Amino acid sequence: PAVRFADRSLSYRALSASAGSIASHLRSSCAGKADPLVGLCLSRSEHMIQSAFGVLAADAGYLPLDPSMPAERLSFIVSDAQLTAVIADSETFDTISVIVDCPVLNVDDLLDAPRLLEAPKDPTQTAQRTAYVIYTSGTTGKPKGVVIERGMLAHFVASLEGFWDRGPGSRWMQFASLNFDASVLEIFNPLTHGGELIIAPGEVRSDPQAIFGLLQEARITHAFLPPAMLRLLPRRSLPD
């Protein structure tokens, strides 16, 4: 499997086909724009990963939008970022629709035309295009968008070669919010090397006992957790 969330899993083929479907819907919105940016306002599920890969396949960059953010902060970010579109789900659609003035697309509607992704013919031509944008917290002023180019993302993933096992048989927990760079490490390390990504549900992320249970049940091999959470985990052995 490529991605697992709760009792649902996606093979690499299924992930590719679903990302291809999302990309096919987005291309018309992104056509003619120099470096389009698509917001992701999604609940925690496999849809986060399908959408991120779909946006990238549509030659756009993604901008995570946390639906739990205050409306004022969300409004500032979407206005400042000049989004081409936003992908939402049934839980977040109404929240984000009243804030943005660009099209809001329901992710379920974007998954109706599965098609496998094709490898780019010359990745160097898109190295300077945006991969994703993450906004700072704004504690010292207004939030600022930090742009990460595709080439920078590729170099980051390549630089970690030999540090961890990222191939088949490895199982990485996706714990961090998409609004934090740690999510990039969690997502792209296993999914560029044949590993499996297990997404921690929202209700699990704040419960040390539930996190430990997921580590055991899913036989997680790699997890990057905040020190404060690590201190609260039970001191018991894990399967791997």
Side-chain angles (χ1 to χ4, degrees):
V3 178
R4 193 192 325 171
F5 175 73
D7 59 352
R8 303 192 296 271
S9 66
L10 293 171
S11 66
Y12 272 88
R13 184 179 183 86
L15 175 59
S16 175
S18 58
S21 179
I22 292 172
S24 68
H25 282 283
L26 290 176
R27 286 193 180 102
S28 60
S29 299
C30 297
K33 299 189 177 178
D35 209 5
L37 197 60
V38 177
L40 302 183
C41 188
L42 297 161
S43 309
R44 290 187 64 81
S45 76
E46 69 277 16
H47 291 334
M48 300 188 307
I49 313 303
Q50 294 168 305
S51 297
F53 277 70
V55 170
L56 293 172
D59 290 330
Y62 71 85
L63 168 65
L65 298 169
D66 187 343
S68 66
M69 283 181 183
E72 182 180 359
R73 175 176 166 83
L74 268 178
S75 181
F76 171 83
I77 291 175
V78 298
S79 174
D80 185 67
Q82 298 182 348
L83 298 176
T84 297
V86 173
I87 300 176
D89 56 35
S90 58
E91 294 183 23
T92 63
F93 193 92
D94 291 342
T95 299
I96 197 67
S97 293
V98 299
I99 294 174
V100 302
D101 57 5
C102 62
V104 179
L105 311 172
N106 191 312
V107 66
D108 290 327
D109 296 335
L110 304 182
L111 294 170
D112 62 353
R115 60 187 69 189
L116 295 177
L117 297 175
E118 295 181 2
K121 295 178 181 178
D122 185 3
T124 60
Q125 292 184 351
T126 60
Q128 293 184 324
R129 293 180 71 91
T130 300
Y132 64 91
V133 174
I134 289 181
Y135 271 72
T136 62
S137 63
T139 52
T140 58
K142 291 183 178 180
K144 296 178 178 63
V146 179
V147 178
I148 304 299
E149 297 175 347
R150 292 170 184 241
M152 297 165 63
L153 173 57
H155 280 298
F156 170 66
V157 174
S159 72
L160 298 173
E161 190 66 38
F163 278 87
W164 303 295
D165 177 12
R166 304 181 283 186
S170 66
R171 294 174 294 280
W172 290 57
M173 177 187 286
Q174 203 290 295
F175 177 87
S177 164
L178 292 189
N179 292 73
F180 293 97
D181 274 316
S183 66
V184 175
L185 182 147
E186 296 171 331
I187 293 167
F188 289 95
N189 268 293
L191 294 183
T192 55
H193 289 76
E196 182 180 1
L197 185 70
I198 291 93
I199 301 170
E203 64 272 16
V204 168
R205 294 173 66 243
S206 59
D207 183 341
Q209 291 291 340
I211 290 174
F212 191 82
L214 181 60
L215 291 170
Q216 284 185 311
E217 181 273 326
R219 301 180 70 87
I220 301 290
T221 59
H222 298 74
F224 297 85
L225 301 173
M229 180 60 71
L230 277 174
R231 286 197 295 269
L232 298 175
L233 293 183
R235 294 297 188 263
R236 299 199 298 271
S237 61
L238 291 165
D240 292 315

